[in-house]
Amino acid sequence: FPFPYTPYRIQEQFMEALYGALEAGRVGIFESPTGTGKSLSLICGALSWLRDWEEKRRQEEARLLALGASEQDGLTPQQARPGSADTAGEPDWVTAFVQKKEERDMVDRLKEEQIRRKKREDRLEKMWHNVQLKYVAKRKRCEEDEAKRLLQLSKEALSQGAGEGVLDQLDHNEEELILAEYESDDEKKVVSGLEDDDDDLEEEHVTKIYYCSRTHSQLSQFVHEVQKSPFGKDTRLVSLGSRQNLCVNEEVRRLGALQLINDRCMEMQKNKHEKKSDEENEGKKRRVSRTVCPFYSYEQMQFLRDEVLVEMKDIEQLVSLGRETKACPYYGSRFAIPAAQLVVLPYQMLLHEPTRNAAGIKLKDQVVIIDEAHNLIDTITCIHSAEVSGSQLCCAHSQLSQYMERYRKRLKAKNLMYMKQILYLLERFVAMLGGNVNQNPGCQAVSQTGTVLKSINDFLFQSQIDNINLFKVQRYCEKSLISRKLFGFVERYGGPASAVKTNKENQKLAGLQNFLVTLQQGSDKEGTPQSPPVEAEHDHLRSASPLMQIEGFLSALTNANQDGRVILNRQGTVGQSSLKFLLLNPAVHFAKVVEECRAVIIAGGTMQPVADFREQLLCCAGVDPARVVEFSCGHVIPPENILPIILCSGPSNQQLEFTYQTRDLPQMMDETGRILCNLCNVIPGGVVCFFPSYEYEKQVYGHWEKTGLLSRLAAKKKIFQEPKKANQVEQVLVEYAKCIKRCSQTGGQMTGALLLSVVGGKMSEGINFSDDLGRCVIMVGMPYPNIKSPELQEKMTWLDKTMPRVAGQAPSRVLIENLCMKAVNQSIGRAIRHQKDFASILLLDHRYARPATFNKLPQWIRERTQVKPAFGSAFAELRKFHRGKLDAL
């Protein structure tokens, strides 16, 4: 395997196992602790396989083509033989002929493929050499821009003279708000002209690797790793992202909300296609002024596509290239998918089928690598779950009725029919929450509060919408872009009173005037510095048309009945109540991926316990257990660099057991404090202490404040608390790191800092406490999830019904145990980030020593863990460990 430096032994093993899994078309679960160079192993292992595979294909093709050439020279001896009747009653020569024909067809196919590939390679080749072309294109663009500007100026001069003609019954912009005539699928057998110009885009997809990770920053990191690797120069790599990340049209970007950006973009393209047809029937009707995206130009995007394939780019580089070449990076990068060898994309795009199809991703016989996959199950569940609030439902109903009222005369029957169906659905949903759609949702109190769970069918029957074809309504929403039109309508007319109102024109105007006034207040800097809360809520409603959220909920209801539940959450008022769709069986959505792909690799730093993936995802998705391979490797750090201890009792011999019953006892909180005080005396640098929840962390902190323990702690380490708000995390971390650095340089009383964080919070995932930032990680108690939550209970019931018992334990019990240990492994894995790092890990709870729990720790930690019944010996061990390290430094 080519590698930028000498790989560790485990990296070699990792790559060999990966290569094997890809070659055999397996589903692999790969665990390689963070800090062991997982990304590089993935890159080098997978790309080596791809390169070899391409080479094999090439040789095979060459062989067949050579065969084909020799055959055309003369008859093969077989055909010259006299025909003896075959067993099947067909003469030999017929069979032979059919066989030959198949071979010949294959040869022809290969030839075509070769010509195509040649074309593609030539094009890329040309790009390497012709830097000149770039400048020509650039110059041409500048000239075009100049011409456009002059044209614009002359237009403006003209329009100032013709100001009077504008008052035509509906002005231009309003034409855009009217829904186009809609035909459902059955009526529309004749495909419109849209597809004609897409034919030349259809390119054959070469075998490729799809690599996905959770966040854009992780993807960017990965692209940089590839650039550094030996494959950096000659791999065709494409980064995909959402329009939110890739759009370069400022006017659209400003919309902010992803759904709005998507809709606006689609609309502009629709306009582009319609413009073409409009120009043909120019005489028929007055042309509507429609905006078209200047970046959606085919030549420019082809240029961008080739540019991307020639030289690797991450998302940021892609966007700046798009701005420079005036081409859309979002579509340009999609055009590059067929020819690319490595496609880098976020989870959402790969795991959500509609998104996947929209992006032109074809998984047939391709390789998929899912990185950072420790919470893959939750991710799939989240992507396919949806929630709508009562106030959104009412708001959508009110907006849609006003829209219908205003344009009734201009709308076609088909449109009115579907709009009535949507209004009816909204009305029934609000009724299910115990409200009336025609009254203000904020003022209607709910009689029976609480949470009710229903199966999809029960929900459809009880809300009396089982007679509506949700699939058709969903298609209608997608095709007619109704939510986008509605948003435009509301932007135009909706005053802050977006609740119900009578539809008189004068009130419309009043609403509009109010709206303008609020806009002006916003733009006057001298206005009130703090807008009243009502305004803020109004902004929240305006961030996206509520109908968009509701469309998500409708499409969720089209899942199979046994795979999901609808949660009716009735709170104080109808506005605060909500309907939520919960996906119970993530495997249904994962099955497609596993079936189509040649191989799927699920990789992560801490994948233990692996059973979840095996049972909930793979078995349910119908994967043959023989197809699954597991690979878990140790860590690169020497065994003496890590000291994991399970502590069963504290300094005053109080047994450590943090259950819901015992953890609130003052003596438990005191004992935890004493342990920390002792440790802070002997551990240099940073100590990170994880609590099971924000609430408990607060409670303990308050208790320590009262007993004076906090000030004793603060004398040794400066104390930081994990903030609840995501945007403050960065700042706390910076302060924390600064403090540790300062203490290590100055010496003195303070030895560093203590960070109190929460399992599953912002600090337990994706943030590295390397070196001095985390010399000791402490886990207080066992972070079991809240069993009382209706969603978890439903999932448990579902598992018990559908899954077999494991080693005499109910699947729901196993789930709880696994969720807890996954969280623990995520958190404690934060401390060791590279080969020379060292840290101690302290698990405070005697229950960690139970074999079933103990075995769920990652192997490299488990092998080195000591169970200490008493605090004395544990403390001595820790002191020795950290002293030894200090002397060695």
Side-chain angles (χ1 to χ4, degrees):
F1 294 102
F3 217 71
Y5 51 84
T6 323
Y8 304 131
R9 178 73 199 105
I10 58 169
Q11 283 178 318
E12 283 176 353
Q13 288 165 345
F14 186 98
M15 291 190 288
E16 280 158 20
L18 177 65
Y19 193 98
L22 295 180
E23 188 57 45
R26 293 291 181 77
V27 174
I29 302 177
F30 279 66
E31 178 179 51
S32 161
T34 324
T36 54
K38 182 179 66 202
S39 322
L40 260 176
S41 317
L42 277 172
I43 293 166
C44 297
L47 287 175
S48 301
W49 172 81
L50 187 65
R51 187 178 280 178
D52 294 352
W53 198 81
E54 285 175 355
E55 191 45 49
K56 266 190 224 140
R57 285 259 321 244
R58 237 170 255 136
Q59 288 169 353
E60 177 65 9
E61 271 175 32
R63 196 179 62 79
L64 278 168
L65 285 172
L67 241 169
S70 68
E71 268 185 21
Q72 273 148 21
D73 298 344
L75 285 176
T76 46
Q78 214 182 359
Q79 270 165 307
R81 275 219 317 261
S84 56
D86 185 292
T87 45
E90 282 184 1
D92 262 359
W93 61 269
V94 175
T95 326
F97 179 76
V98 172
Q99 206 178 346
K100 284 287 162 287
K101 181 161 172 15
E102 278 169 13
E103 271 180 29
R104 250 200 309 280
D105 286 351
M106 180 146 179
V107 169
D108 291 344
R109 231 192 359 263
L110 287 175
K111 275 190 182 147
E112 274 172 37
E113 237 174 68
Q114 229 176 8
I115 293 168
R116 267 209 302 262
R117 187 180 315 113
K118 191 92 191 80
K119 260 193 196 154
R120 194 166 55 230
E121 281 166 4
D122 288 350
R123 198 178 63 226
L124 294 176
E125 206 46 34
K126 199 158 80 193
M127 293 206 46
W128 275 105
H129 301 312
N130 291 6
V131 188
Q132 258 50 47
L133 267 182
K134 267 194 213 177
Y135 293 116
V136 174
K138 229 179 189 164
R139 209 170 32 249
K140 189 171 138 213
R141 266 200 308 280
C142 293
E143 285 164 14
E144 275 175 17
D145 288 356
E146 188 55 31
K148 261 195 204 135
R149 212 172 56 94
L150 291 171
L151 193 69
Q152 189 62 34
L153 284 173
S154 56
K155 265 192 194 155
E156 277 166 20
L158 271 175
S159 65
Q160 269 152 11
E164 292 79 54
V166 184
L167 293 170
D168 187 41
Q169 170 226 351
L170 289 178
D171 59 4
H172 284 334
N173 303 348
E174 218 175 320
E175 284 281 347
E176 293 198 4
L177 299 178
I178 295 204
L179 288 160
E181 191 166 349
Y182 179 76
E183 304 148 343
S184 67
D185 321 339
D186 329 339
E187 299 156 31
K188 198 168 67 182
K189 291 287 183 278
V190 192
V191 183
S192 62
L194 280 186
E195 266 86 59
D196 306 349
D197 48 357
D198 292 356
D199 277 349
D200 42 357
L201 313 186
E202 272 306 312
E203 228 183 316
E204 128 207 56
H205 281 237
V206 302
T207 299
K208 60 175 68 44
I209 295 167
Y210 286 102
Y211 170 88
C212 40
S213 192
R214 214 167 64 243
T215 61
H216 279 290
S217 57
Q218 284 166 332
L219 292 173
S220 281
Q221 244 173 325
F222 180 78
V223 174
H224 294 308
E225 293 272 335
V226 181
Q227 285 168 338
K228 285 190 301 208
S229 79
F231 296 91
K233 283 284 169 286
D234 47 7
T235 299
R236 302 190 294 275
L237 176 142
V238 180
S239 306
L240 299 179
S242 62
R243 287 187 178 89
Q244 216 168 4
N245 295 92
L246 288 176
C247 179
V248 286
N249 183 337
E250 281 312 317
E251 175 207 348
V252 179
R253 270 183 91 103
R254 274 203 301 272
L255 290 171
L258 177 62
Q259 188 72 52
L260 292 180
I261 294 180
N262 283 346
D263 277 14
R264 181 79 188 112
C265 176
M266 298 299 288
E267 191 182 33
M268 283 178 149
Q269 280 178 64
K270 213 168 152 188
N271 291 345
K272 185 176 172 112
H273 286 304
E274 279 175 17
K275 259 210 165 139
K276 289 184 188 163
S277 55
D278 273 356
E279 279 157 19
E280 293 152 21
N281 38 28
E282 181 72 65
K284 241 174 38 187
K285 57 174 190 198
R286 182 173 56 79
R287 267 269 299 301
V288 190
S289 72
R290 293 172 181 274
T291 29
V292 182
C293 183
F295 294 92
Y296 192 76
S297 106
Y298 191 51
E299 295 78 57
Q300 251 43 62
M301 287 192 294
Q302 274 195 309
F303 179 72
L304 182 96
R305 164 190 69 184
D306 297 341
E307 198 51 23
V308 168
L309 290 174
V310 165
E311 193 186 358
M312 245 172 240
K313 295 187 174 30
D314 65 9
I315 296 283
E316 283 75 36
Q317 294 163 323
L318 197 59
V319 170
S320 50
L321 177 70
R323 288 211 171 98
E324 181 190 315
T325 55
K326 286 226 176 3
C328 172
Y330 178 71
Y331 283 100
S333 60
R334 286 177 168 199
F335 288 151
I337 296 177
Q341 292 163 313
L342 181 56
V343 179
V344 179
L345 69 173
Y347 272 6
Q348 259 67 356
M349 284 183 100
L350 188 102
L351 298 173
H352 190 229
E353 202 182 350
T355 317
R356 189 163 71 225
N357 296 338
I361 294 169
K362 299 199 170 111
L363 293 182
K364 193 84 192 97
D365 299 333
Q366 308 293 25
V367 171
V368 166
I369 297 179
I370 301 175
D371 200 1
E372 298 298 333
H374 49 266
N375 44 15
L376 182 60
I377 296 180
D378 296 346
T379 305
I380 299 178
T381 307
C382 276
I383 294 176
H384 295 92
S385 298
E387 183 166 23
V388 288
S389 70
S391 57
Q392 283 174 325
L393 292 165
C394 287
C395 176
H397 187 279
S398 137
Q399 289 177 5
L400 195 55
S401 6
Q402 288 172 45
Y403 176 87
M404 211 166 103
E405 198 56 38
R406 167 140 189 128
Y407 300 123
R408 182 159 238 145
K409 307 211 173 32
R410 306 276 313 249
L411 291 167
K412 299 282 186 295
K414 223 23 192 221
N415 273 319
L416 287 171
M417 179 190 91
Y418 276 111
M419 283 164 83
K420 282 185 177 147
Q421 285 193 352
I422 296 172
L423 286 170
Y424 175 71
L425 287 173
L426 295 173
E427 199 179 308
R428 297 309 312 160
F429 288 161
V430 176
M432 285 297 275
L433 291 173
N436 178 347
V437 86
N438 296 318
Q439 292 164 8
N440 184 340
C443 310
Q444 300 181 63
V446 175
S447 47
Q448 306 156 297
T449 54
T451 309
V452 190
L453 283 135
K454 302 199 174 301
S455 71
I456 302 180
N457 288 351
D458 287 349
F459 176 75
L460 297 179
F461 286 125
Q462 284 171 17
S463 55
Q464 299 164 11
I465 57 171
D466 48 305
N467 55 346
I468 285 183
N469 182 338
L470 288 177
F471 288 97
K472 278 194 160 182
V473 175
Q474 188 193 348
R475 283 237 23 162
Y476 170 73
C477 290
E478 270 172 31
K479 288 278 176 291
S480 66
L481 291 176
I482 181 163
S483 52
R484 168 72 216 162
K485 309 277 187 193
L486 198 56
F487 178 75
F489 170 73
V490 174
E491 271 217 311
R492 228 183 141 73
Y493 293 112
S498 57
V500 188
K501 53 185 176 199
T502 51
N503 295 316
K504 292 208 189 82
E505 281 310 301
N506 59 357
Q507 200 165 353
K508 278 266 166 58
L509 282 170
L512 185 57
Q513 278 152 359
N514 282 342
F515 184 50
L516 291 173
V517 172
T518 52
L519 282 183
Q520 272 165 336
Q521 282 172 355
S523 60
D524 295 349
K525 287 287 171 274
E526 304 84 73
T528 47
Q530 204 179 3
S531 63
V534 185
E535 292 288 291
E537 194 174 342
H538 170 52
D539 279 352
H540 165 67
L541 280 178
R542 271 199 56 238
S543 65
S545 144
L547 195 57
M548 296 173 185
Q549 290 257 213
I550 293 159
E551 284 176 22
F553 181 68
L554 286 178
S555 73
L557 288 179
T558 57
N559 274 299
N561 182 46
Q562 68 278 9
D563 294 330
R565 294 285 178 275
V566 179
I567 301 176
L568 304 172
N569 191 2
R570 301 194 180 114
Q571 299 302 328
T573 65
V574 172
Q576 294 160 342
S577 306
S578 65
L579 295 173
K580 180 170 183 188
F581 173 81
L582 173 71
L583 179 72
L584 293 176
N585 180 9
V588 269
H589 294 287
F590 194 61
K592 267 271 172 53
V593 178
V594 190
E595 276 162 28
E596 292 190 351
C597 293
R598 174 199 171 92
V600 177
I601 304 294
I602 307 173
T606 35
M607 300 292 285
Q608 289 293 340
V610 171
D612 281 17
F613 293 104
R614 277 218 122 126
E615 282 140 31
Q616 284 185 46
L617 260 192
L618 302 176
C619 290
C620 281
V623 178
D624 174 13
R627 195 182 159 198
V628 182
V629 288
E630 278 176 40
F631 174 85
S632 171
C633 62
H635 210 295
V636 284
I637 57 162
E640 63 275 9
N641 274 16
I642 165 183
L643 174 67
I645 291 179
I646 294 172
L647 188 58
C648 302
S649 56
S652 59
N653 286 329
Q654 167 77 44
Q655 190 194 33
L656 299 175
E657 178 173 1
F658 293 85
T659 58
Y660 280 116
Q661 290 77 39
T662 56
R663 68 181 195 183
D664 300 341
L665 299 172
Q667 60 263 38
M668 286 305 279
M669 298 198 262
D670 289 340
E671 199 72 339
T672 311
R674 281 188 212 111
I675 294 172
L676 277 177
C677 271
N678 279 310
L679 293 185
C680 286
N681 283 331
V682 297
I683 296 171
V687 175
V688 185
C689 180
F690 283 105
F691 289 90
S693 68
Y694 280 106
E695 287 64 48
Y696 190 56
E697 188 262 336
K698 237 195 192 123
Q699 190 183 348
V700 173
Y701 191 85
H703 180 80
W704 290 346
E705 244 174 345
K706 279 208 287 286
T707 57
L709 220 156
L710 199 66
S711 46
R712 278 186 21 224
L713 265 177
K716 279 285 169 207
K717 304 256 183 215
K718 185 166 177 185
I719 299 175
F720 292 88
Q721 286 174 283
E722 172 174 333
K724 255 194 157 166
K725 291 205 174 92
N727 51 5
Q728 300 166 354
V729 172
E730 199 53 43
Q731 194 186 351
V732 172
L733 280 173
V734 169
E735 293 294 318
Y736 171 74
K738 265 191 201 150
C739 173
I740 291 173
K741 200 167 173 191
R742 210 173 39 242
C743 295
S744 73
Q745 284 162 352
T746 53
Q749 261 286 225
M750 291 279 268
T751 58
L754 167 66
L755 178 60
L756 306 177
S757 17
V758 177
V759 174
K762 310 286 172 288
M763 308 276 180
S764 65
E765 287 209 12
I767 288 172
N768 298 343
F769 296 112
S770 52
D771 302 322
D772 268 347
L773 292 184
R775 282 303 176 212
C776 176
V777 174
I778 300 165
M779 192 61 141
V780 179
M782 299 183 73
Y784 283 113
N786 174 12
I787 299 196
K788 301 240 173 3
S789 96
E791 300 175 19
L792 189 61
Q793 287 191 325
E794 194 55 40
K795 176 98 189 183
M796 286 161 67
T797 325
W798 179 80
L799 280 174
D800 286 344
K801 273 199 204 122
T802 51
M803 295 283 175
R805 287 174 78 84
V806 187
Q809 266 194 317
S812 56
R813 185 71 223 141
V814 178
L815 169 80
I816 299 294
E817 199 63 40
N818 285 350
L819 283 172
C820 166
M821 290 312 287
K822 265 204 167 54
V824 171
N825 295 343
Q826 259 319 299
S827 304
I828 57 183
R830 299 285 116 214
I832 304 277
R833 310 310 281 181
H834 58 83
Q835 195 178 13
K836 301 203 169 39
D837 209 348
F838 65 89
S840 51
I841 295 170
L842 202 56
L843 304 174
L844 307 184
D845 202 311
H846 73 97
R847 293 175 296 170
Y848 280 111
R850 297 183 305 207
T853 310
F854 184 76
N855 286 331
K856 287 184 174 157
L857 287 167
Q859 183 190 347
W860 60 282
I861 292 182
R862 192 171 61 228
E863 287 166 350
R864 304 162 190 184
T865 304
Q866 311 178 13
V867 178
K868 299 279 184 190
F871 182 72
S873 65
F875 184 68
E877 227 17 94
L878 278 161
R879 193 167 55 197
K880 193 174 88 191
F881 175 81
H882 285 285
R883 287 247 165 96
K885 291 289 170 222
L886 268 182
D887 299 343
L889 277 179

